[in-house]
Amino acid sequence: MARTPRSKPTATWPIETLMTPGQASAFLGIHSSTLRAWRRAKTGPAYVRHSGRCIRYRLADLIDYHPVGEAA
């Protein structure tokens, strides 16, 4: 019996989605250490600090963020 191919699942993320620094850096196309450096320099996209060292980025903030020198 032949199997019918399944379509790939489509992820529809709500704009309120919180992303890990690894996910956020992949979304922006940068290295995760760049995000860390931006946090220390108090630049870059806004982030949320949960308890302790748990840092998350809102998808809406990443979409709104435009690094200096790039076209908006």
Side-chain angles (χ1 to χ4, degrees):
M1 185 167 153
R3 296 176 77 186
T4 57
R6 293 183 181 181
S7 61
K8 288 187 175 183
T10 57
T12 55
W13 291 13
I15 205 74
E16 300 87 20
T17 298
L18 293 177
M19 303 174 85
T20 65
Q23 293 170 325
S25 63
F27 181 81
L28 293 174
I30 58 172
H31 198 273
S32 59
S33 62
T34 302
L35 277 178
R36 188 177 325 115
W38 286 349
R39 285 194 306 269
R40 288 180 182 160
K42 304 209 185 301
T43 61
Y47 62 92
V48 177
R49 183 180 298 272
H50 288 285
S51 63
R53 301 185 317 190
C54 183
I55 293 176
R56 296 292 183 261
Y57 291 87
R58 288 186 182 97
L59 181 58
D61 292 334
L62 296 176
I63 292 171
D64 290 341
Y65 179 72
H66 297 287
V68 176
E70 288 190 12

